[in-house]
């Protein structure tokens, strides 16, 4: 565990906390894409199939449980909570899940570390995580007034990915035989998807203006 | 429970 990896995980955790804060305290999910949240739940469910069979560390198991629990409860809140669900605008959140799920599944069947159920599911989860933010980014573009918490949520998610890249660079130079093409390429694609958002996020921050993405 | 060094990232 290096400082970049820890900072990445903590940023990821912070993004989830910001979203839970918005949902729990403000009782609103306005501007949040249910599609993206459902994809994340699927990402964690398929990636952490090893949670009860393989042990890495207490830290690892705890974080897995947190990400599984939080992602499924966020989906539950948006879909079923009496007050929160009212702020969900279905007509704006139109991205189709299967446009992302099916290509990722096919790619996972072709490109994986080993052709076993667990490894194919793991590769699928890596590919799906890379593109799971797309429905959220599309929704942001359609939202005229992006509130601060939503902006911070997406910013923290992007920052988590950028820190993971630093972690890989660090591990590549400090560990022997540390080469992971699947995670590297997907992680790079995932981080690049945030580039446009980052640009406007920093612009709005610099000029002290409300965040708005050009349509 | 077995200790693995495969996918140690989250």
């Amino acid at each position: 565990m290096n400082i970049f990896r820890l900072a990445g995980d903590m940023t990821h955790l912070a993004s989830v906390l910001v979203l839970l804060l918005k949902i729990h305290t403000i009782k609103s999910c306005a501007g949040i894409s249910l599609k993206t949240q459902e994809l994340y739940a699927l990402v964690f469910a398929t990636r952490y199939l090893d949670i009860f069979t393989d042990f890495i560390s207490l830290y690892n198991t705890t974080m897995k449980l947190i990400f599984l629990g939080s992602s499924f409860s966020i989906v539950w809140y948006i879909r079923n909570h009496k007050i929160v669900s009212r702020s969900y605008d279905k007509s704006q959140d139109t991205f189709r899940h299967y446009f992302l799920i099916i290509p990722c599944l096919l790619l996972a069947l072709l490109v994986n570390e080993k052709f076993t159920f667990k490894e194919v599911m793991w590769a699928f989860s890596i590919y799906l995580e890379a593109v799971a933010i797309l429905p959220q980014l599309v929704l942001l573009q359609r939202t005229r007034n992006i509130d601060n918490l939503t902006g911070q949520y997406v910013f923290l998610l992007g920052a988590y990915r950028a820190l993971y890249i630093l972690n890989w660079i660090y591990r590549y130079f400090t560990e022997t035989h540390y080469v992971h093409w699947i995670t590297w390429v997907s992680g790079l694609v995932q981080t690049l998807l945030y580039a446009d958002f980052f640009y406007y996020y920093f612009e709005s921050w610099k000029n002290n203006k409300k965040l708005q993405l050009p349509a | 429970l077995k200790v693995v060094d495969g996918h140690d990232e989250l």
Side-chain angles (χ1 to χ4, degrees):
Chain A
M1 173 78 81
N2 60 66
I3 188 71
F4 303 112
R5 160 80 197 278
L6 185 64
D9 286 349
M10 290 305 116
T11 313
H12 192 185
L13 194 59
S15 75
V16 172
L17 290 177
V18 164
L19 186 52
L20 281 173
L21 176 82
K22 184 178 153 91
I23 287 174
H24 230 270
T25 322
I26 306 169
K27 295 272 186 288
S28 160
C29 64
I32 297 297
S33 165
L34 174 63
K35 304 288 170 89
T36 284
Q37 297 307 318
E38 287 173 337
L39 291 174
Y40 280 141
L42 183 60
V43 162
F44 295 130
T46 47
R47 186 174 308 165
Y48 300 156
L49 288 173
D50 62 353
I51 190 165
F52 296 116
T53 54
D54 298 347
F55 183 75
I56 293 156
S57 65
L58 188 60
Y59 170 83
N60 210 279
T61 306
T62 311
M63 294 293 273
K64 282 174 174 171
L65 288 172
I66 291 174
F67 289 134
L68 276 170
S70 58
S71 62
F72 277 91
S73 60
I74 288 165
V75 168
W76 182 87
Y77 262 103
I78 300 177
R79 295 180 77 117
N80 303 318
H81 189 276
K82 220 166 53 190
I83 303 162
V84 176
S85 63
R86 260 183 247 152
S87 55
Y88 174 59
D89 188 355
K90 201 178 168 183
S91 66
Q92 293 287 305
D93 192 22
T94 53
F95 211 100
R96 309 282 175 98
H97 298 95
Y98 52 83
F99 277 167
L100 301 175
I101 295 175
I102 291 168
C104 288
L105 197 56
L106 293 176
L107 187 61
L109 286 166
L110 292 171
V111 185
N112 50 62
E113 291 191 358
K114 220 193 304 174
F115 196 71
T116 62
F117 178 70
K118 239 157 71 171
E119 283 301 317
V120 170
M121 285 296 106
W122 178 84
F124 166 71
S125 82
I126 295 288
Y127 302 141
L128 190 62
E129 188 191 353
V131 291
I133 195 65
L134 286 174
Q136 179 65 64
L137 292 175
V138 170
L139 183 59
L140 279 188
Q141 274 196 336
R142 291 178 176 170
T143 312
R144 285 294 105 209
N145 275 314
I146 303 169
D147 63 84
N148 287 337
L149 285 180
T150 305
Q152 278 152 13
Y153 168 67
V154 178
F155 172 75
L156 286 166
L157 271 179
Y160 137 65
R161 295 314 310 180
L163 286 161
Y164 253 71
I165 292 181
L166 297 179
N167 154 58
W168 296 328
I169 295 171
Y170 182 88
R171 290 188 74 170
Y172 178 76
F173 287 109
T174 54
E175 291 173 31
T176 36
H177 311 300
Y178 182 79
V179 181
H180 286 296
W181 286 109
I182 290 178
T183 32
W184 289 351
V185 175
S186 334
L188 199 62
V189 169
Q190 189 175 357
T191 314
L192 287 173
L193 292 181
Y194 288 90
D196 192 58
F197 171 84
F198 276 144
Y199 174 79
Y200 292 105
Y201 187 85
F202 284 120
E203 282 291 303
S204 79
W205 184 62
K206 204 172 69 188
N207 304 323
N208 216 354
K209 276 207 188 117
K210 250 197 135 20
L211 175 63
Q212 204 175 62
L213 302 187
Chain B
L1 228 60
K2 67 178 167 43
V3 178
V4 287
D5 57 358
H7 307 305
D8 61 348
E9 287 172 353
L10 295 160

